[in-house]
Amino acid sequence: MLQQNRVSPLQPFTPFDHLACRVYRQVNSSSAQVLRRTLIRRLSSERTDDWDRLLEQLSNEESVRLKHLEDGVAQLSWTNHHPF
């Protein structure tokens, strides 16, 4: 699902990288892994285009279901255990 694809450890994190890492940590939390679902929300400090890009990437994952809820919240659920 979400993978950390860093080209070089010396490159500074982009705003998208920070967003992806935040969601990555949330997806990998113990409770989310047990339930195989979590709710994610864009923070006001995060760019809309980065959020849209992340949602698009997640929606392209075969075993991930993305459901848009109210107020910019999205529910992620997955069917199998990924080696995140």
Side-chain angles (χ1 to χ4, degrees):
M1 197 160 108
L2 287 177
Q3 298 177 10
Q4 295 181 333
N5 296 329
R6 301 298 305 153
V7 174
S8 167
L10 300 178
Q11 287 182 322
F13 268 39
T14 66
F16 178 82
D17 294 331
H18 286 285
L19 168 61
C21 284
R22 180 178 68 79
V23 172
Y24 175 87
R25 285 189 305 271
Q26 186 174 338
V27 165
N28 284 295
S29 71
S30 298
S31 60
Q33 287 298 305
V34 168
L35 298 171
R36 296 198 182 189
R37 69 176 178 263
T38 191
L39 296 177
I40 60 172
R41 171 189 314 259
R42 183 182 70 84
L43 302 179
S44 61
S45 61
E46 295 167 336
R47 297 174 8 181
T48 303
D49 58 333
D50 288 336
W51 178 252
D52 292 341
R53 178 179 160 200
L54 179 70
L55 293 182
E56 181 179 344
Q57 286 183 3
L58 290 169
S59 68
N60 289 329
E61 291 291 331
E62 187 175 306
S63 62
V64 175
R65 289 192 331 200
L66 176 67
K67 181 178 180 181
H68 294 273
L69 305 174
E70 295 180 12
D71 299 326
V73 175
Q75 180 182 23
L76 293 178
S77 57
W78 51 96
T79 56
N80 59 358
H81 191 16
H82 287 276
F84 295 108

